[in-house]
Amino acid sequence: MEFRLPDSIKENFWKLFFIVMLFVSIKTLFYDWEVQYYGFNELDDYGSLSFALIVGALESALITVFLLWVFSKLLKR
């Protein structure tokens, strides 16, 4: 199964994605995972950081697609 985005979403996706990614990453890393308390002495800490960033990127992609879909529906009216 292939998921294709409309051209209107493709044009603006990367412009909005980095902004959403910044806010989601700050929230995830500092408030949910509390990375500032990690020692980064073990490989496990780096794995947790990478996992948090990957989950944040996937969440940002979903939020971005949803926002662009809502904006396109609102502008059609």
Side-chain angles (χ1 to χ4, degrees):
M1 183 172 154
E2 187 174 344
F3 179 68
R4 292 188 185 208
L5 296 174
D7 290 333
S8 61
I9 290 180
K10 281 184 188 178
E11 294 172 2
N12 299 320
F13 179 81
W14 291 108
K15 295 174 188 173
L16 187 60
F17 175 75
F18 291 114
I19 297 168
V20 173
M21 178 70 181
L22 177 70
F23 290 119
V24 168
S25 294
I26 288 171
K27 179 194 159 288
T28 301
L29 293 176
F30 293 110
Y31 296 108
D32 294 342
W33 286 75
E34 298 179 349
V35 176
Q36 66 269 24
Y37 300 121
Y38 287 6
F40 293 105
N41 297 331
E42 297 178 6
L43 191 58
D44 183 35
D45 295 333
Y46 292 107
S48 298
L49 177 65
S50 345
F51 180 74
L53 287 174
I54 290 170
V55 169
L58 294 173
E59 183 179 357
S60 299
L62 289 174
I63 291 170
T64 303
V65 169
F66 178 72
L67 285 175
L68 289 171
W69 178 75
V70 168
F71 290 149
S72 69
K73 293 295 182 189
L74 289 176
L75 292 176
K76 282 186 180 180
R77 289 185 171 192

